[in-house]
Amino acid sequence: MIFLQIRWDYNTMLKKGRRREDVFNDLQKFKKMDMSYSSGRILGSMCTDPDSVGLEAYKMFIDTNLGDSGHFKGTATMEAEVISSLGRLLHLDKAYGHIVTGGTEANLMAMTVAKYLFEEQHDTMPELILPKSAHFSFKKICSMLSVKPVYVDLDCDYRMDVSQLEGLITENTMAIVAIAGSTELGLVDKIDEISEIAFSNDIYLHVDAALGGFIIPFLNNENNNKYNIDFGCKGVTSMTIDPHKMGLAPVPSGGIIFRHRHHLEKLSVKTPYLTKDKQTTIVGTRTGASTAATWTLLNYYGIEGYQKIVNDVLKLTKYTYNKLQKNQQIKLVCKPELNIISFTIDDMDVDIIKNKLTKMGWSLSIAEYPHAIRLVIMPHVKKEHIDLFINDLNQSLQEY
């Protein structure tokens, strides 16, 4: 193990510190243990190699703290502009929100607001209706907020079965969650239909578009796409959108957008010793570097730039899907809507095949429903990487 090669004397470090050269030599050893996106072998991640332009901006603002934004008025101005831009991208003329660490924090903020609103009129246990395809962050959130999850079955296409939705609504329903780009299969719920139900029942609707938020709007602009996932649906109350996925921003760069100011204000707490008198985020200290990177990339690429990125990725996704179809042993779970492909293998344990491919240097992931190998095609993946992967996959199947 590389760990055994690194000399580490904790007591000496506390007394004297170590030579800069020795510290960075050890850092290089740690770095060599990590996989790189540029290798094209990371096929199971929804994050990607950050764009160099955004990374430059990130480094430029690494010392900023939006948790005490009075010291960093320029960075705070950028955040307001980013939220406004993301709002317009999602058909919201006036948006309220923040750049946060990622989808989990954004989902937590939305559900905290929903619970506060629920508690203003109820003293019973709140219930959260969500599809079985919802991200695992909602399991954490329900536990943290003492909310009862109520799961909607998936239909034959692995999306929320909307026909069950109204039957699950009770006087204790706090909110409904819909997904625009499910984590396991990359599928999009029928959010326009869900929105109508939520609106007619006066129920908070949150759309988790952590994945699809930086994909679907650019499809719509290019092709007048059929998807209607955002604030153009009158029942949508809040949305999660992650710039550190297809937005190419460095990790961590997530986003939470609210339709109404008073909903964001539900998170407000007084901060008497800081330069601003209140905060409307969960975390206190909050880097402005993520905001700077996102602002830079939105301005650098614009609509047309992101359209090209998305279209290139979806073309490669289609190419990969077609290549996999040629092997009769491989059973594709569904036709990809976005940039995720999942498949099973006739009479074979996908975990064993995954382990074989891992030993060959590939980093894949496993979907649980259904139990399948899951590929995520991101901008760091190129055609030559897919060709090599397909060859290794076919070899693994022949050796099984």
Side-chain angles (χ1 to χ4, degrees):
M1 288 291 291
I2 294 178
F3 280 121
L4 299 179
Q5 300 172 12
I6 298 176
R7 297 181 61 83
W8 186 266
D9 186 335
Y10 185 70
N11 291 326
T12 301
M13 182 200 71
L14 288 177
K15 292 176 183 177
K16 302 180 186 177
R18 302 170 66 209
R19 293 192 313 160
R20 184 181 187 278
E21 180 182 357
D22 292 339
V23 171
F24 276 86
N25 283 340
D26 285 351
L27 286 175
Q28 288 296 331
K29 294 175 183 177
F30 285 122
K31 186 65 175 175
K32 287 179 181 178
M33 296 169 67
D34 293 345
M35 294 191 71
S36 67
Y37 289 112
S38 60
S39 70
R41 289 180 168 268
I42 297 179
L43 293 176
S45 173
M46 290 191 290
C47 294
T48 190
D49 214 2
D51 186 277
S52 60
V53 174
L55 194 57
E56 185 177 348
Y58 190 96
K59 293 176 181 177
M60 186 176 174
F61 286 82
I62 196 69
D63 60 344
T64 60
N65 173 18
L66 282 174
D68 201 359
S69 59
H71 297 305
F72 308 102
K73 295 179 181 179
T75 312
T77 300
M78 277 195 294
E79 183 179 43
E81 291 187 7
V82 166
I83 295 304
S84 179
S85 295
L86 294 179
R88 290 194 299 272
L89 187 68
L90 301 171
H91 296 100
L92 185 61
D93 290 335
K94 186 65 175 176
Y96 307 93
H98 290 290
I99 296 300
V100 295
T101 56
T104 295
E105 184 182 355
N107 291 337
L108 175 58
M109 290 175 70
M111 293 302 95
T112 301
V113 169
K115 187 177 182 185
Y116 287 161
L117 293 169
F118 178 85
E119 289 177 335
E120 289 176 355
Q121 299 182 13
H122 304 81
D123 58 6
T124 53
M125 168 72 83
E127 297 177 352
L128 175 61
I129 298 177
L130 66 169
K132 289 185 176 179
S133 57
H135 186 258
F136 60 77
S137 62
F138 288 100
K139 293 181 180 178
K140 301 179 188 179
I141 291 165
C142 286
S143 177
M144 293 168 68
L145 299 182
S146 297
V147 170
K148 178 183 176 182
V150 177
Y151 288 101
V152 186
D153 291 331
L154 304 185
D155 62 20
C156 60
D157 294 320
Y158 299 102
R159 298 176 183 84
M160 179 196 287
D161 186 347
V162 181
S163 67
Q164 296 184 8
L165 187 54
E166 290 217 60
L168 296 174
I169 295 173
T170 71
E171 61 182 11
N172 295 325
T173 300
M174 174 191 88
I176 299 169
V177 171
I179 313 299
S182 59
T183 307
E184 294 196 329
L185 301 177
L187 300 176
V188 181
D189 286 335
K190 299 172 183 176
I191 292 168
D192 51 353
E193 297 180 22
I194 298 168
S195 167
E196 289 292 337
I197 294 171
F199 187 82
S200 63
N201 286 275
D202 194 24
I203 295 173
Y204 188 111
L205 172 59
H206 176 66
V207 176
D208 182 357
L211 174 62
F214 257 93
I215 299 177
I216 295 169
F218 303 108
L219 294 178
N220 288 339
N221 276 285
E222 176 79 358
N223 303 317
N224 193 26
N225 199 276
K226 63 182 179 180
Y227 298 112
N228 191 7
I229 66 158
D230 55 33
F231 294 100
C233 301
K234 60 185 178 181
V236 174
T237 313
S238 58
M239 291 188 68
T240 290
I241 178 172
D242 278 1
H244 67 207
K245 293 186 171 69
M246 203 67 75
L248 306 185
V251 171
S253 303
I256 177 67
I257 308 292
F258 293 96
R259 184 186 290 272
H260 302 296
R261 180 192 293 274
H262 72 273
H263 286 166
L264 178 60
E265 291 296 327
K266 290 293 178 184
L267 298 171
S268 177
V269 294
K270 292 183 179 179
T271 52
Y273 63 89
L274 299 181
T275 54
K276 292 291 184 179
D277 60 359
K278 65 181 180 180
Q279 286 182 350
T280 50
T281 51
I282 289 176
V283 299
T285 302
R286 187 165 57 93
T287 180
S290 300
T291 286
T294 304
W295 184 94
T296 300
L297 291 166
L298 288 171
N299 281 272
Y300 179 72
Y301 280 109
I303 295 292
E304 291 183 357
Y306 276 117
Q307 283 176 347
K308 184 180 186 310
I309 291 166
V310 168
N311 287 333
D312 287 348
V313 165
L314 294 190
K315 285 178 183 177
L316 186 57
T317 303
K318 184 177 180 180
Y319 174 83
T320 307
Y321 179 82
N322 290 338
K323 292 277 283 188
L324 290 167
Q325 269 191 319
K326 293 179 180 179
N327 190 321
Q328 294 184 353
Q329 291 177 277
I330 294 172
K331 302 301 178 187
L332 290 143
V333 173
C334 58
K335 189 173 183 178
E337 277 192 290
L338 302 181
N339 60 323
I340 297 179
I341 302 171
S342 293
F343 62 91
T344 59
I345 301 160
D346 278 347
D347 302 321
M348 293 187 186
D349 187 331
V350 293
D351 293 290
I352 293 176
I353 298 300
K354 173 184 175 288
N355 291 337
K356 281 180 171 287
L357 290 165
T358 299
K359 291 177 181 178
M360 299 172 79
W362 298 99
S363 180
L364 312 173
S365 59
I366 295 290
E368 286 304 314
Y369 187 73
H371 193 68
I373 292 176
R374 169 180 172 270
L375 306 180
V376 186
I377 311 301
M378 293 296 288
H380 64 269
V381 182
K382 309 302 179 186
K383 181 176 178 290
E384 56 266 28
H385 302 136
I386 294 301
D387 289 339
L388 183 57
F389 169 75
I390 297 294
N391 288 337
D392 287 350
L393 173 61
N394 290 338
Q395 180 182 331
S396 297
L397 297 182
Q398 291 171 6
E399 296 174 352
Y400 184 80

